[in-house]
Amino acid sequence: MAEPQVIPVHVARDRFESVPELGRLRAEQPVSRLTTPAGTAWLVTRYEDVREVLGDATRFGNDPVDHRSYASIAVSGHSGEGAGTAPPRHGFLLAYDPPDHTRLRRLLTPEFTVRRIQRLAPRIERIVADHLDAMEQAGPPADLVPAFALPVPSLVICELLGVPYADREDFQRLSRARLDMGLPLEERAAAARASQAYMAGLVAKERRDPGEEMLGMLVREHGEEVDDQELTGVADLLLLAGHETTSNMLGLGTLFLLQDPARVALMREEEHVETAVEELLRYLSVVHTVMPRYAREDVVLGGQEIKAGEMIAVSLPAANHDTALLEDPGHLDLTRKIIPHVAFGHGVHHCLGASLARMEMRIAYPALLRRFPGLRAAVPIEEIAFRAFSVIYGVESLPVEW
């Protein structure tokens, strides 16, 4: 019989909270040893140290000495050629270092500026309203994840990229497999390759006949600068991250809000929506960590010596609950002044779609809670299944009634 899998400390949660051990490490041993499927890493838990690692692409890079990292294989599906060789130019932006990262990201940045994203607001409002209409028409009870939290960001990113929404069941299933750390590495890598094969077909179609959406735009305006592999990898990452992160925040965040009527009331008020969303992002921190970094030289971090080539993992929830960031990190205050949390990462790999995710949440949360003033969980919280061993935390389902 296979041994039960142990959830690593930086991934382990108790419903909405990280486990106490993570806080103890941050206070007593801020840079500590961590065992991962790829080998031993250094786990970084303090806010300032996490920002230092993520903000310094010169000393902390994505390319290890042996780049067959668990995260990059299972999420991107590329295993490379072995120790000492450069990773393939697969376009999976999170695995790139400058200057290639700079070159590819520069092509995408104009599409994700706050001003450009603002133009999407009316369409996002319509998508949200349509799904709320469908929920209302069907009547309670409903599972909020498939009825609202998952389809809203999925449809938005599909329309933005030019991905057929009719294909959502397949790409959502593959996305979940890629992010499920409980699955064997080979199964996760196979899901990644299948996802990229699907996206490669869309890229080939856009090469022949570019559409008006982002994929078509990249072909028309930058077709000579990126090859099909890079374009496939970029689009695959945008599709994966564009629906998984926001959908999990919508599901988990709604359940969290429903635990306290005062939270629900604040999220309904227009004047508090922006700060409330930022505080939820900080407090829940659904992305446990980022792609692993590797020390490019001997460094001292948090008083710990790290040798060149050693792997580093950072804990975003630990950093976002550090007293160095704010005095009372364990207290949720939806009216709190916005602070520089790291829920979207930091540095050159700061989430490209952060503005889009914020807009979706600022529209979706209040619309849901205004449409259904009596919204409540339909089962006790003890019966709700959480995504305990996933790269992105959330709930498997959320039965609600109103």
Side-chain angles (χ1 to χ4, degrees):
M1 180 180 295
E3 291 291 325
Q5 290 184 308
V6 177
I7 300 177
V9 64
H10 68 303
V11 173
R13 305 268 182 129
D14 181 4
R15 295 179 185 164
F16 308 110
E17 316 291 338
S18 296
V19 293
E21 174 67 7
L22 190 62
R24 186 195 68 77
L25 287 174
R26 183 183 56 231
E28 301 175 9
Q29 198 177 356
V31 180
S32 59
R33 286 292 191 180
L34 175 71
T35 300
T36 79
T40 302
W42 292 103
L43 175 63
V44 180
T45 51
R46 292 195 314 197
Y47 176 74
E48 293 298 336
D49 295 336
V50 168
R51 281 176 61 93
E52 182 176 350
V53 171
L54 300 184
D56 189 345
T58 301
R59 292 188 302 149
F60 306 100
N62 282 305
D63 295 351
V65 174
D66 179 351
H67 63 272
R68 294 177 56 84
S69 95
Y70 177 78
S72 63
I73 297 171
V75 178
S76 75
H78 294 270
S79 60
E81 300 300 328
T85 64
R89 297 169 62 82
H90 49 67
F92 199 80
L93 206 56
L94 295 181
Y96 273 47
D97 284 319
D100 278 338
H101 174 270
T102 308
R103 172 180 61 85
L104 282 180
R105 183 159 175 136
R106 188 170 54 240
L107 306 183
L108 299 169
T109 299
E111 297 302 308
F112 287 95
T113 61
V114 173
R115 178 178 295 182
R116 187 71 62 91
I117 294 301
Q118 285 289 343
R119 299 178 186 174
L120 298 176
R123 179 57 185 149
I124 296 173
E125 290 169 354
R126 184 68 262 162
I127 290 171
V128 166
D130 287 346
H131 284 82
L132 293 177
D133 288 346
M135 282 180 60
E136 189 170 27
Q137 183 175 2
D143 186 341
L144 195 73
V145 172
F148 186 74
L150 181 57
V152 167
S154 294
L155 183 52
V156 170
I157 196 64
C158 281
E159 290 191 359
L160 184 63
L161 287 176
V163 172
Y165 186 60
D167 297 340
R168 64 191 179 278
E169 288 189 10
D170 280 341
F171 70 68
Q172 288 170 355
R173 173 181 54 80
L174 293 170
S175 294
R176 288 177 66 83
R178 294 166 74 173
L179 299 175
D180 187 347
M181 294 183 290
L183 293 178
L185 175 58
E186 294 77 11
E187 190 171 337
R188 295 180 65 197
R193 289 191 295 271
S195 297
Q196 289 156 356
Y198 165 74
M199 191 59 70
L202 295 183
V203 166
K205 177 178 176 294
E206 294 294 332
R207 284 285 189 187
R208 295 191 299 270
D209 183 21
E212 296 302 315
E213 295 76 19
M214 189 180 296
L215 272 178
M217 178 278 296
L218 289 171
V219 168
R220 287 194 308 275
E221 299 183 12
H222 306 289
E224 299 300 317
E225 302 170 59
V226 290
D227 59 27
D228 284 359
Q229 267 195 313
E230 287 188 324
L231 190 55
T232 295
V234 165
D236 175 61
L237 174 60
L238 291 175
L239 180 61
L240 172 69
H243 76 275
E244 278 285 351
T245 51
T246 306
S247 68
N248 280 288
M249 266 302 299
L250 288 176
L252 185 69
T254 299
L255 177 61
F256 183 70
L257 292 170
L258 293 178
Q259 304 309 298
D260 184 348
R263 297 172 191 165
V264 173
L266 279 170
M267 187 60 87
R268 286 198 190 104
E269 298 177 18
E270 189 64 36
E271 63 179 303
H272 295 309
V273 169
E274 184 175 359
T275 58
V277 166
E278 291 304 310
E279 179 72 340
L280 275 183
L281 285 164
R282 178 199 71 83
Y283 194 89
L284 296 176
S285 296
V286 296
V287 179
H288 303 291
T289 187
V290 298
M291 295 285 279
R293 300 294 193 268
Y294 298 84
R296 289 181 159 172
E297 58 188 56
D298 293 350
V299 297
V300 175
L301 188 70
Q304 174 64 53
E305 183 178 358
I306 298 175
K307 297 293 186 181
E310 290 188 316
M311 182 164 59
I312 300 167
V314 302
S315 172
L316 301 182
N320 280 336
H321 284 256
D322 191 343
T323 53
L325 175 61
L326 69 166
E327 291 182 358
D328 56 345
H331 172 63
L332 177 100
D333 180 359
L334 296 181
T335 65
R336 191 192 302 276
K337 180 182 177 181
I338 294 174
I339 56 176
H341 61 74
V342 291
F344 287 115
H346 176 64
V348 297
H349 288 285
H350 181 269
C351 177
L352 186 65
S355 294
L356 177 60
R358 285 183 166 108
M359 173 174 285
E360 290 176 286
M361 285 183 273
R362 290 170 186 169
I363 292 172
Y365 280 129
L368 171 68
L369 298 174
R370 290 169 188 160
R371 177 69 71 92
F372 303 114
L375 190 72
R376 59 192 178 275
V379 299
I381 194 169
E382 293 80 12
E383 296 181 18
I384 292 175
F386 291 81
R387 296 179 68 176
F389 208 5
S390 174
V391 173
I392 302 172
Y393 191 59
V395 290
E396 297 285 358
S397 65
L398 179 53
V400 293
E401 53 192 12
W402 54 90

